[in-house]
């Protein structure tokens, strides 16, 4: 629990909390980027440099953009005139989330001593990652490619303007 | 091929860039406050009132005939006639402007006042550095501020001024001759019609009647060309 | 002290926040933001377990995290695409309204 | 003693932030000391060619932006996999390269599909 | 190109019921014009545009003219019975007397169109239409459906002269702002009195400005200035 | 002596920190490194703005700024003072916080990019293994700042400009990444220092810069196009296309916030030009073996300046593209070309040394280029025209 | 032909009653963005305003709004003498004061039946063609400026313009507002030195045209931006009264210099370039080609100019009272047909004074050309119409 | 640097900090006047000509024409301001950030010029906003605009940072907003802004 850890954790959690509570949706998206940047810092702290940077590249550079585009596209940056920002079942949601956290936290704290497995920081180079990807993980890689392609096609089809519905 | 036109364009700007270090043609800037474009003789900016001699008031050619005031398209001239008279350049007593204001914040520099003036009294200046922070004090010019000497006129429009001088000298000579003749006639026949020559002399030679000036600017227009031959001619006839 | 439980706690908290967001917000995009948060919390767990796990040199958790990021990105693209598509037809991003209108 | 590279990054981050904040702070101080801000309704209205602004700028945009963003996102993810591949490329054999080629081609296929569908044609 | 008389008869032959007059032009330009009646104007215009020989496909200029009410003084010879006593006998006899009569010729607004042919490269043929008066009968048919180039020009005429063109697709004010009330190009339009200060005043502007200021401020200085202006 | 000159900044730094206690030395060294970056690039920004204004002037037959200070060199100082003392106007209905943060995010993101650029021998702030990835991650963050600026102003032109800018930046980020991959494939590292090292070799006195290979040359050209688009430079300066949308996403910015955007844009240009020089032009290495004695940092900054001059030259010549053309150009020309280039780079390795690979690689690249170029022109019926006359 | 009329009706009617304050409309594509371009907008050549409705970046409605420079030229002219209006005509199309002068002088000369001496005719032609060169060069420059070319072509155009303005200044006394022509001639005669200077400037112009063409004509970006954009079909152009280079770029052979043969244009050999694609690029090229033709006319005129008087001997400056009647005179101004319609009631002031502004009428088809194009193209199409607000609003 | 180094040092010794600051401030402001890209009529063409190769306003560092009023320092009212345009001009002026300057270029901008008797022409922009420098001429030559620019620089140079004589933009109490006139049925409402336009008294 070094101070750096605390700061980063605070940063991340505050961002996450803001992302789900703020009124203005664009603010939520920006808060999300803060939370994700915090996570990237965690990854760096955990010596996963490549993952950390990839997180920034993909989440801040692309996913955040996608989210704000979606917000602008659906014109949901203004709070709805009728009703609040929360759904009708908000209380249930909060209770469930709290319960989940309670269970998880309890489990973590219970098993904390068992997790003690201090190991030296591994020096993961991109070269190693490349070798692993091209070697053991080549099949998952191809599957990811397939997934990405189908996601691309699927998302485009879903989001694309169908000719039939054009006025 | 894609990009060919772009390269051609790049070559053109590069030529201008390189050329700007070696040729005047490619670096046309005139650095204004220090350098100036060579003055062009015909340039006009705002009107001024010409006076002969040293005293702007005594030598002022304007006789407050108010033609320019009437003809001025944007109506920027304001003239009040004087109650008394002063002698003009031929020595005849004339009305003069008690007040002659030009609001150069309204003036459109069209030169029509110059064209219609039968007395060669109003001309166009070339002064343009008139920017001021004072809207009324700086831009509403009274007759003193408007007065410029004939020398100034010669300096800015030499050809035109020479012609004007020649014409005026001619008129003056004519008027003097007439006066002399009148005096002689008077001396010869003191009884016969004493009022007539005086009345004639009292009128400006160039504009005897209000319709008269219509011809005069025409003459001015025809005589204005820069042709040096004509100017010489004018000068010769003047001297 | 071993820092692993700290990371896990943060991840759990983030997960809970994401869950709460996903369950409580009316705006479908914010629901997706909540889900993103949950996925990232899971990612943090993956990396933390890899780092403090028994065989960090095997890179399993590490690569799993990369794949997870890729999958999450694909999920976000499709999910948001769906929201846009629904919005085009129902003119709303309100989950409650969607429920009402879908019948 | 060697510091982690992240330390340098942190220092640079702080310095860059300070670089941005300092002049803003100075400008604020200047305003406080000498040149007070003069906000008013006209000045702080939205600029729209000298007219009064009508309609909200936060308006609905077109899906075209989103489609590009999707394709970009997918390619960004692809790049994350391509980078490690490129790093080890010099030592790779044909087989590994072929598998990467398949990977790239799968994504290119997505791109080609989008091209054929006219998604890449900006309207 | 046909002469104006030929065009007139061609129109009358082609468009039944159309009354066409010729308005002569006194200037050396010799550009005489045709006066159309508003009822048939569109039909005539279509004919002029589509006729093979004329093919006036290009409406170059459209404008309005404001003709004020004119007081016409004319000397008329009137023959009327006059009872006169001639030689002590009352006699009624016809007598021709010259008397001056004044009558007001009502003003009207006029729309003038200059037509050319791009296909045959001739012109101009000038059309005129007149409104009933200057106040309430100010409607004329729009020729925009025939020549698109009349669109903005007719809007301008509407704006500045107040002729209402029926059948114009978009008749709004064009030069002045929308809630402006007057038609400034009419000859009896009075400009807003905003001459607060004129260094070189003319055309009674100075007096007007001073009076205006006196009314607004009521200050002694302004009054003095009004006096000064009045003196002038 | 020459080595000392090459390392003069390092030595200076080390000399300075030696007065500190040992524990502090490393930290102080880092701080000094950072200060150098923070000091040098804004100064360079100032110089380049004057250079740009004067250079454009010369292209347009005039002088450009030459009165403020000697040769107009103090022009940026005056501009800075002016911007600093200018009132800061924030529209009432704008999103104040985001409006304030946007320029800061931009400035931070563009400065972070420099941390991995080697600006001379041993002159790199943080030589990370995934350096290139970090650079792109930071580049991606600038998009967010642009969006924040445009959106928070709540001005139609701003938002339109921001959307254009973001769409443009994401479209050209892909080719930027892909074209750099070719260099990475050959160098075998994401660390920019190692990429420079890989190019810092000489044969017959000539360097092994990647630009001298077919794929390297094509890569550099594609990289430059993408870089110009990424930094919103002419002919890709649509986001601030003043003829349509006034000043784009910073329409509502005044005072020093606007200056920060201006600065951010230029500093972004430096970083991306520095990256281009590093990837394809051998970074700080000398162009000829016999010129190796010239300090390395001179080469790096020299290459940077050459790139700037190119940017200025192009700005002075070209009109800007339209949004759809820009996007289509990115997705239908530049990205396919970068993919082909990747293939060529792979072929380059597999064919092995010899003249065959030169011929094959050039043939593929030129063939694809000409084919695609002609297709683009013909499909849109573009080309010079002849005209008929009527007597 | 009647098709054209109907089509015009349909297009004009589509915009009916769609004011600015319309409620926001939603289309499946997204929301309409209503943007006002102008009155203060970098690319509207002054104070013009276009209310544009956009679907994404596509224009689906465009309403021009005029009047921001309505200076009451016609009203003022009706209150002053015929001559006093002459300097005001300078300020109509303030880039081309001399052609405005000529059009007005021509109309008055028609009204009173005045002859113009031959030398004055030549001088008028020389000045008008120089003006045309200035106009076309700067119009092309502005067009490229709007395309975002950081001003380089405009600078080159103005470099040449300055040379020509120097000529204007040394002949007429003013750079822009020349007020040079008079009813029945010109105000001052040109000296031999002036003609020599003009010859020198004219000799340098082909090089400038080459430079312009190298810089622009085959530039791929320019071609991509201009070709196929803003198509104006000839039938619509004729029906909408479009004139000038805009009309000729639509392939209609109509040049008033050839049709009316006013002045002495029948003495010069020149050709009229026509466009076949009817788009922005054609307009741009037609202007450049006309610039070259003008250089040809200038060379001929400067060679043939005779000596002689420059004013009709019967001409009067003051007390000018045409007898009652009317006249419409028109010339081929650089922007199109510039006409003056004068009604005299025998008084010293015109009873009705009307300017037929090419710029205003050429804008009639602005919306038709812009519909379906991009916002960025609107700027280009607008630039290719080449208007000057002084003339549009008068 | 334009601020004389020696003078600066000397003043610094005397503790006249404000004077140095003032000089620096004025120097910065006057050396970096960015005009707004704003043209109204004929004069706009001469304004453009001033920025072009022959006259090159860029030499003074003033070629950075900003299309947005937020970033502009100088509004060159170049041409006739009509009543229809006046509200827009005033609004744009209001939207500029302080310190801001106005040059009324040409007769029309100063007084309505030749068109002043027209029903739709505003008789001088100084009825609504304060004008710093007036340039007569119709249109003024490009050199005249440069001269006005230099005049404006001089005016800036003479301004005080503190004290009673400081320019209005440094005075918190001074007027910051200039009411935008509205379109009336016959004229603008109000026809002038009395706060800016104290009607000058002239008796003839």
């Amino acid at each position: 629990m070094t101070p750096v850890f605390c700061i980063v954790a605070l940063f991340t959690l505050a961002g996450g909390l803001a992302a789900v509570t703020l009124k203005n949706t664009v603010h939520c998206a920006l808060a999300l980027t803060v939370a994700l940047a915090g996570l990237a810092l965690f990854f760096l702290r955990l010596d996963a440099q490549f993952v950390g940077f990839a997180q920034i590249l993909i989440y801040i550079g692309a996913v955040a953009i996608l989210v704000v585009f979606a917000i602008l596209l659906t014109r949901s940056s203004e709070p709805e005139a009728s009703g609040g920002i929360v759904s009708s079942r908000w209380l249930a949601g909060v209770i469930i989330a709290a319960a989940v956290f309670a269970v998880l936290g309890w489990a973590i704290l219970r098993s904390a001593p068992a997790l003690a497995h201090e190991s030296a920081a591994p020096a993961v180079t991109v070269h190693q990652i490349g070798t692993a990807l091209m070697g053991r993980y080549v099949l998952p890689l191809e599957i990811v490619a397939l997934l990405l392609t189908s996601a691309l096609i699927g998302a485009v089809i879903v989001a694309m303007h169908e000719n039939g519905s054009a006025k | 091929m894609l990009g060919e036109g772009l390269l051609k364009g790049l070559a053109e700007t590069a030529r201008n860039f390189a050329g700007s270090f070696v040729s005047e043609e490619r670096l046309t800037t005139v650095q204004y406050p220090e350098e100036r474009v060579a003055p062009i003789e015909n340039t006009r900016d705002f009107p001024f009132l010409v006076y002969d001699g040293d005293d702007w008031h005594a030598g002022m050619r304007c006789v407050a005939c108010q033609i320019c005031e009437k003809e001025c398209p944007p109506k920027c001239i304001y003239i009040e006639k004087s109650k008394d008279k002063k002698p003009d350049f031929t020595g005849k007593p004339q009305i003069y402007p008690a007040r002659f204001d030009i609001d150069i914040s309204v003036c459109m520099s069209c030169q029509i006042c110059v064209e219609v003036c039968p007395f060669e009294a109003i001309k166009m200046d070339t002064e343009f550095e008139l920017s001021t922070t004072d809207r009324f004090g700086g831009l509403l010019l009274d007759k003193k501020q408007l007065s410029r000497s004939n020398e100034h006129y010669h300096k800015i429009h030499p050809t035109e001024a020479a012609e004007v001088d020649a014409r005026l000298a001619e008129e003056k000579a004519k008027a003097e001759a007439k006066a002399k003749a009148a005096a002689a006639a008077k001396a010869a026949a003191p009884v016969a019609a004493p009022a007539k020559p005086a009345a004639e002399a009292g009128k400006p030679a160039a504009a005897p009647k209000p319709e008269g000036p219509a011809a005069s600017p025409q003459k001015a227009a025809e005589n204005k060309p820069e042709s040096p031959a004509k100017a010489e001619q004018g000068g010769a006839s003047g001297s | 002290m071993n820092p692993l439980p700290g990371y896990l706690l943060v991840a759990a908290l983030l997960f809970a926040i994401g869950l709460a967001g996903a369950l409580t917000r009316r705006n479908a995009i914010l629901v997706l933001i909540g889900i993103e948060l949950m996925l990232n919390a899971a990612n943090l767990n993956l990396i933390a377990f890899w780092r403090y796990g028994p065989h960090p040199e095997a890179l399993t958790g590490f690569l799993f995290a990369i794949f997870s990021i890729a999958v999450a990105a694909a999920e976000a693209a499709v999910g948001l695409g769906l929201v846009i598509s629904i919005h085009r037809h129902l003119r709303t991003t309100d989950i409650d309204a969607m429920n009402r209108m879908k019948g | 003693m060697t510091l982690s590279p992240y330390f340098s990054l942190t220092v640079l981050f702080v310095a860059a932030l300070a670089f941005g904040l300092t002049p803003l702070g100075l400008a604020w101080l200047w305003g406080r000391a000498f040149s007070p801000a003069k906000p008013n309704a006209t000045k702080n209205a939205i600029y729209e060619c000298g007219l009064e602004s009508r309609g909200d700028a936060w308006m609905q945009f077109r899906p075209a932006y989103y489609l590009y963003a999707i394709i970009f996102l997918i390619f960004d993810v692809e790049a994350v996999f391509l980078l490690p591949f490129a790093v080890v490329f010099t030592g790779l054999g044909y087989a590994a390269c072929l598998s990467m080629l398949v990977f790239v081609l799968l994504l290119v296929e997505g791109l080609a599909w989008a091209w054929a569908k006219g998604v890449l044609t900006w309207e | 190109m046909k002469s104006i008389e030929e065009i007139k008869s061609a129109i009358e032959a082609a468009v039944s019921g159309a009354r066409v007059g010729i308005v002569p032009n006194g200037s050396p330009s010799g550009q005489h014009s045709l006066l159309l009646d508003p009822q048939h104007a569109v039909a005539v215009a279509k004919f002029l545009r589509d006729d093979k020989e004329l093919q006036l496909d290009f409406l170059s200029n459209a404008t309005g003219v404001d003709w004020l009410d004119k007081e016409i003084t004319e000397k008329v010879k009137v023959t009327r019975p006059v009872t006169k006593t001639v030689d002590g006998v009352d006699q009624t006899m016809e007598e021709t007397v010259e008397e001056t009569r004044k009558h007001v010729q009502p003003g009207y607004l006029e729309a003038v169109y200059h037509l050319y042919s791009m296909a045959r490269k001739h012109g101009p043929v000038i059309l005129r239409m007149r409104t009933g008066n200057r106040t309430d009968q100010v409607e004329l048919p729009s020729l925009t459906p025939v020549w698109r180039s009349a669109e903005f020009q007719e809007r301008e005429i509407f704006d500045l002269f107040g002729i209402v063109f029926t059948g114009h697709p978009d008749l709004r004010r064009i030069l002045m702002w929308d809630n402006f009330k007057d038609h400034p190009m009419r000859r009896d339009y009075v400009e807003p009195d905003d001459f607060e200060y004129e260094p070189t005043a003319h055309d009674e502007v100075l007096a007007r400005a001073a009076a205006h200021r006196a009314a607004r401020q009521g200050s002694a200085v302004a009054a003095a200035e009004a006096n000064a202006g009045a003196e002038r | 002596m020459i080595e000392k000159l090459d390392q003069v900044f390092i030595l200076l730094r080390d000399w300075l920190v030696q007065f500190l206690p040992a524990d502090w030395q490393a930290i102080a060294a880092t701080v000094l490194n950072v200060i150098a970056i923070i000091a040098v690039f804004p100064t360079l920004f100032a110089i380049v703005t004057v250079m740009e204004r004067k250079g454009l002037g010369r292209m347009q037959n005039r002088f450009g700024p030459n009165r403020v200070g000697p040769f107009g060199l103090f022009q940026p100082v005056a501009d800075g003072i002016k911007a600093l003392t200018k009132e800061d106007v924030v529209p009432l209905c704008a999103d104040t916080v985001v409006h304030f943060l946007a320029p800061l995010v931009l400035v931070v993101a563009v400065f972070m990019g420099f941390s991995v650029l080697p600006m001379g021998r041993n002159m790199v702030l943080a030589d990370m293994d995934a350096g290139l990835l970090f650079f792109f991650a930071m580049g991606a963050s600038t998009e967010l700042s642009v969006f924040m600026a445009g959106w928070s102003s709540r001005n139609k032109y701003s938002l339109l400009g921001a959307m254009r800018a973001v769409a443009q930046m994401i479209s050209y980020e892909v080719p930027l990444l892909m074209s750099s991959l070719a260099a990475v494939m050959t160098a075998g590292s994401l660390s920019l220092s190692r990429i420079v090292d890989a190019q810092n070799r000489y044969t017959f006195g000539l360097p092994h810069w990647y630009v001298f290979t077919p794929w390297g040359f094509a890569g550099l050209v594609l990289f430059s196009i993408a870089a110009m688009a990424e930094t919103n430079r002419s002919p890709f300066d649509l986001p601030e296309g003043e003829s349509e949308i006034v000043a784009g996403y910073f329409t509502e910015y005044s005072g020093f916030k606007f200056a920060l955007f201006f600065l951010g844009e230029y500093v972004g240009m430096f970083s991306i030009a520095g990256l281009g020089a590093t990837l394809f032009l051998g970074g700080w290495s000398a162009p000829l073996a016999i010129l190796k004695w010239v300090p390395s940092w001179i080469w790096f900054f020299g290459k940077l300046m050459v790139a700037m001059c190119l940017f200025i030259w192009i700005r002075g010549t070209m009109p800007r593209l339209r949004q759809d053309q820009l996007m289509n150009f990115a997705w239908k020309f530049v990205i396919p070309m970068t993919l082909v280039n990747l293939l060529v780079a792979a072929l380059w390795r597999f064919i092995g040394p010899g003249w065959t690979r030169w011929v094959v690689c050039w043939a593929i690249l030129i063939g694809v280029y000409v084919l695609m170029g002609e297709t683009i022109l013909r499909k849109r019926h573009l080309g010079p025209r002849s005209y008929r006359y009527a007597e | 032909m009647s098709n054209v009329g109907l089509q015009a009706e349909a297009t004009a009617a589509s915009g009916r009653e769609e004011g600015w304050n319309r409620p926001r409309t939603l289309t499946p594509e997204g929301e309409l963005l209503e943007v006002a371009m102008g009155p203060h907008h970098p690319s509207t050549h002054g104070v013009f305003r276009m209310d544009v409705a956009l679907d994404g970046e596509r224009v689906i409605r465009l309403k021009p709004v005029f009047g921001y420079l309505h200076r009451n030229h016609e009203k003022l002219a009706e209150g002053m003498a015929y001559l006093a209006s002459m300097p005001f005509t300078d300020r109509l199309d303030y880039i081309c004061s001399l052609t405005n002068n000529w059009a007005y002088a021509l109309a008055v000369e028609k009204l009173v039946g005045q002859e113009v001496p031959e030398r004055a005719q030549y001088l008028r032609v020389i000045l008008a063609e120089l003006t045309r060169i200035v106009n076309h060069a700067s119009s092309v420059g502005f067009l490229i400026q709007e395309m975002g070319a950081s001003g380089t072509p405009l600078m080159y155009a103005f470099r040449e313009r300055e040379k020509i303005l120097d000529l204007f200044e040394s002949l007429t006394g003013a750079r822009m507002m020349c007020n040079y022509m008079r009813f029945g001639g010109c105000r001052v005669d040109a000296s031999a030195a002036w003609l020599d200077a003009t010859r020198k400037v004219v000799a340098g112009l082909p090089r400038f045209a080459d430079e312009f063409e190298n810089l622009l004509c085959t530039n791929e970006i320019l071609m991509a931006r201009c070709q196929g954009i803003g198509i104006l079909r000839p039938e619509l152009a004729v029906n909408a009264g479009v004139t000038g280079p805009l009309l000729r770029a639509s392939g209609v052979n109509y040049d008033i210099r050839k049709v009316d043969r006013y002045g002495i244009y029948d003495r010069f050999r020149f050709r009229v370039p026509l466009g076949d694609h009817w788009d922005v690029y054609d307009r741009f090229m037609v202007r450049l080609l006309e610039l070259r033709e003008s250089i040809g006319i200038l060379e001929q005129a400067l060679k043939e100019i005779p000596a002689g008087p420059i004013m009709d001997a019967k001409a009067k400056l003051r007390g000018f009272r045409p007898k009652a009647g009317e006249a419409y005179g028109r010339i081929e101004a650089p922007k199109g047909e510039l006409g003056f319609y004068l009604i005299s009631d025998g008084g010293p002031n015109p009873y009705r004074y009307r300017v037929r502004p090419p710029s205003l009428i050429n804008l009639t088809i602005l919306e038709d050309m812009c519909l379906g194009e991009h916002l960025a193209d609107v700027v280009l199409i607008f630039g290719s119409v080449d208007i000057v607000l002084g003339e549009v609003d008068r | 640097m334009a601020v004389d180094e020696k003078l600066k040092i000397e003043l610094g010794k005397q503790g006249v900090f404000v004077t140095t600051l003032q000089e620096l401030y004025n120097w910065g402001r006057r050396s970096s006047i960015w005009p707004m890209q704003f043209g109204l009529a004929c004069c706009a063409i001469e304004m453009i000509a001033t920025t072009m190769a022959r006259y090159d306003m860029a030499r003074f560092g003033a070629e950075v024409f900003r299309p947005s009023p937020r970033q502009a320092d100088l509004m060159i009212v170049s041409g006739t301001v009509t009543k229809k345009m006046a509200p827009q001009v005033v609004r744009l002026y209001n939207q500029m950030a302080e310190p801001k300057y106005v040059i009324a270029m040409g007769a029309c901008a100063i007084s309505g010029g030749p068109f002043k008797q027209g029903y739709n022409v505003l008789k001088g922009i100084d009825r609504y906003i304060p004008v710093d420098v007036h340039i007569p001429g119709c249109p003024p030559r490009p050199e005249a605009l440069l001269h006005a620019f230099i005049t404006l620089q001089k005016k800036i140079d003479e301004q005080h940072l503190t004290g009673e004589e400081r320019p209005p933009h440094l005075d918190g109490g001074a007027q910051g907003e200039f009411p935008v006139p509205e379109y009336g049925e016959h004229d603008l409402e109000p026809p002038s802004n009395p706060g800016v336009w104290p009607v000058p008294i002239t008796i003839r």
Side-chain angles (χ1 to χ4, degrees), chain A residues 57-81:
Chain A
L57 182 71
I58 291 175
Y59 274 100
I60 297 180
V63 174
I65 297 292
L66 206 65
V67 171
V68 294
F69 273 9
I71 290 170
L72 291 187
L73 244 49
T74 55
R75 195 188 166 69
S76 44
S77 63
E78 294 164 4
E80 283 77 21

Side-chain angles (χ1 to χ4, degrees), chain B residues 69 75-78 103 136, chain E residues 197 199-203 232:
Chain B
E69 186 182 17
K75 308 278 179 231
C76 68
I77 306 178
Y78 176 91
D103 188 355
F136 294 103
Chain E
Y197 170 76
T200 56
H202 283 270
D203 311 338
R232 168 149 163 78

Side-chain angles (χ1 to χ4, degrees), chain H residues 3 5 72 85 124 148-149 175 177 188:
Chain H
V3 179
E5 287 296 331
M85 188 65 198
F149 193 80
Q175 189 180 5
E177 185 180 14
L188 288 179

Side-chain angles (χ1 to χ4, degrees), chain B residues 30-230:
Chain B
V30 178
Q31 306 216 43
Y32 159 65
E34 296 86 28
E35 302 168 18
R36 274 152 206 265
V37 184
I40 292 172
E41 197 182 324
N42 263 358
T43 304
R44 60 170 197 254
D45 219 324
F46 293 108
F48 67 91
L49 297 173
V50 190
Y51 65 86
D52 296 307
D54 300 326
D55 182 359
W56 67 270
H57 187 72
M60 184 168 283
R61 290 179 188 170
C62 178
V63 299
C65 68
Q66 290 184 321
I67 289 174
C68 53
E69 186 182 17
K70 277 195 203 81
E71 295 289 332
C72 174
K75 308 278 179 231
C76 68
I77 306 178
Y78 176 91
I79 301 174
E80 268 175 35
K81 292 185 179 194
S82 65
K83 302 262 182 334
D84 56 336
K85 293 188 175 184
K86 72 170 179 62
D88 72 353
F89 69 102
T90 52
K92 277 166 302 197
Q94 291 274 24
I95 299 175
Y96 63 94
R99 188 176 196 115
F100 195 115
D101 292 348
I102 294 184
D103 188 355
I104 59 166
S105 74
V106 174
C107 175
M108 69 202 282
S109 313
C110 65
Q111 209 175 7
I112 283 183
C113 51
V114 178
E115 280 176 71
V116 298
C117 179
F119 301 95
E120 312 286 359
I122 189 164
K123 294 291 169 199
M124 298 304 276
D125 206 342
T126 53
E127 171 73 36
F128 57 82
E129 287 162 324
L130 295 158
S131 313
T132 170
T133 53
D134 182 2
R135 155 81 174 83
F136 294 103
L139 300 180
L140 178 60
L141 305 184
D142 63 19
K143 60 177 176 177
K144 181 159 189 278
Q145 288 162 303
L146 285 168
S147 299
R148 299 273 186 289
S149 68
N150 199 13
E151 284 74 49
H152 175 77
Y153 182 35
H154 272 274
K155 211 172 90 194
I156 56 176
H157 303 306
T159 324
E160 194 187 301
E163 280 165 34
V164 167
D165 272 6
R167 201 153 55 236
L168 289 180
E170 206 175 316
E171 274 166 24
K172 191 175 176 183
K174 236 185 251 171
E176 273 168 6
K178 219 176 240 177
K180 222 178 267 171
K186 209 175 172 183
V191 198
K196 201 179 157 201
E200 239 165 55
K203 282 177 194 165
K209 273 173 258 163
E211 305 92 75
S216 173
Q218 185 44 48
K219 191 177 68 188
E222 275 175 22
N223 286 339
K224 254 169 221 171
E226 300 177 330
S227 142
K230 273 195 175 172

Side-chain angles (χ1 to χ4, degrees), chain A residues 24 26-27 30 33 49-50 53-54 56-57 60-61 64-65 68-69 72 124-126, chain F residues 95 98 128-130 133-134 136-138 140-141 143-144 147-148 151 163 166 173 190:
Chain A
N24 190 321
V26 173
H27 288 173
L30 296 176
T33 60
Q49 191 184 58
F50 190 83
F53 293 162
I56 296 177
L57 182 71
I60 297 180
I65 297 292
V68 294
F69 273 9
L72 291 187
V124 189
T125 61
V126 185
Chain F
D95 195 313
V98 181
M128 287 182 290
D129 185 44
L133 186 61
F134 177 77
F136 285 122
M138 287 301 121
S141 313
E143 285 150 27
L144 209 61
F147 170 78
M148 284 162 76
W151 176 80
M163 291 299 270
V166 173
E173 193 161 314
L190 287 186

Side-chain angles (χ1 to χ4, degrees), chain A residues 28-44:
Chain A
C28 293
L30 296 176
L32 176 70
T33 60
V34 172
L36 298 178
L39 275 174
L41 293 182
F42 273 129
F43 293 161
L44 295 184

Side-chain angles (χ1 to χ4, degrees), chain C residues 53-78:
Chain C
H55 298 291
E57 66 286 349
L59 288 181
T60 319
F62 189 92
L63 283 172
F64 206 94
I66 296 181
F67 287 130
S68 157
I69 287 176
V71 173
E75 171 266 334
V78 178

